[in-house]
Amino acid sequence: MHIKHRLTPPYTPQCNPLERANRVLKTMIAQNIKKSQKTWDLYLPELQFVFNTAPSTSTGFTPAYLNCGREFHVPESLAHETALASNRKHQHRIESIQAALELAQNVIASNFQKQQGHYNLRRRKWAPEIGEKVL
């Protein structure tokens, strides 16, 4: 599966993408609880569905498609799907996932370049002179 375990520095939530996902989820819960704060957990399945089917601005794809290779359907339409699929469909799905992942990596790289350009607009090049006091 080529899964790489990556560690983040302790006490630095900005390095952990899961913290950003948690922030979005907390906002979604806060907007949906309305008056009763005791029933927030009843909304979790719907919020999870919304979160997994919303396209990411970084990749251009939904998390459902990048992780599962297909878009999720509304729960009522799941009963109409067939459970069996042919090997060709599986092979086509694998190839489309690989193409989508490659495209997502390219989109992330181009977005990184854009963000780097915005960041570098305010940056000044500085190098200390010999004998200059620095903090």
Side-chain angles (χ1 to χ4, degrees):
M1 299 289 293
H2 304 291
I3 297 173
K4 295 180 183 177
H5 182 82
R6 297 188 185 215
L7 301 175
T8 59
Y11 306 108
T12 52
Q14 65 270 19
C15 294
N16 191 348
L18 186 59
E19 293 296 330
R20 175 66 178 156
N22 287 341
R23 186 170 120 190
V24 170
L25 183 61
K26 284 172 34 179
T27 304
M28 291 169 70
I29 291 172
Q31 291 176 348
N32 284 300
I33 58 172
K34 297 182 177 61
K35 293 180 181 178
S36 177
Q37 295 183 359
K38 294 181 180 180
T39 60
W40 66 270
D41 57 335
L42 299 177
Y43 295 102
L44 287 179
E46 289 84 7
L47 295 177
Q48 179 184 10
F49 179 79
V50 169
F51 188 83
N52 287 333
T53 57
S56 170
T57 56
S58 297
T59 63
F61 293 98
T62 64
Y65 186 76
L66 292 178
N67 286 321
C68 301
R70 63 180 177 88
E71 297 295 343
F72 292 158
H73 297 289
V74 181
E76 289 83 23
S77 66
L78 289 177
H80 301 294
E81 286 189 43
T82 58
L84 301 174
S86 67
N87 287 336
R88 264 187 267 165
K89 286 184 180 178
H90 287 296
Q91 186 62 29
H92 177 68
R93 183 177 286 174
I94 290 170
E95 290 170 0
S96 66
I97 291 171
Q98 289 173 343
L101 288 173
E102 186 177 324
L103 182 60
Q105 289 172 346
N106 292 338
V107 170
I108 288 172
S110 70
N111 285 341
F112 175 77
Q113 293 295 327
K114 288 179 192 175
Q115 292 170 359
Q116 184 181 28
H118 289 299
Y119 175 80
N120 288 336
L121 287 175
R122 295 182 303 271
R123 191 162 184 223
R124 290 180 278 154
K125 190 170 183 171
W126 177 80
E129 301 285 330
I130 295 178
E132 183 179 359
K133 291 184 178 183
V134 294
L135 186 62

